[in-house]
Amino acid sequence: MSGPGNSAQGSPATDWVLELLRCPLTGQPLHAVTVEGAPFLATPDGIRYPVVDGVPVLLVDAALDVPGGAA
C-alpha cells in the first residue's frame, strides 16, 4: 500500500518531520537513505536506523553501524 508518509524519502508531508528527528545516541540530524532496497534514517557518521512500515525505529538497540559497539 502506498500513500503519503509510507516512504522515508523526501515528500513535502515528511520533510519537516525529518528535520526535527535526531539520533538518540549522538544527537546528530538524520537523513533518509536506502540500502539494498530497504529504507533507513542515517547520521552523518553512518549510524543507521531502520524504517518499518513508514515508521522510523529510533532505538539504539535497532541501530546498525554503531561505532564502538554501543548498540
Side-chain angles (χ1 to χ4, degrees):
M1 177 196 250
S2 66
N6 285 352
S7 171
Q9 304 262 338
S11 76
T14 59
D15 286 346
W16 70 272
V17 174
L18 187 57
E19 290 177 17
L20 298 175
L21 296 178
R22 296 288 181 257
C23 172
L25 186 63
T26 66
Q28 293 179 314
L30 298 166
H31 61 278
V33 297
T34 302
V35 178
E36 297 180 8
F40 289 89
L41 294 181
T43 67
D45 291 341
I47 299 171
R48 292 180 289 143
Y49 294 92
V51 177
V52 178
D53 294 328
V55 179
V57 181
L58 299 180
L59 301 172
V60 174
D61 290 342
L64 303 174
D65 297 328
V66 176

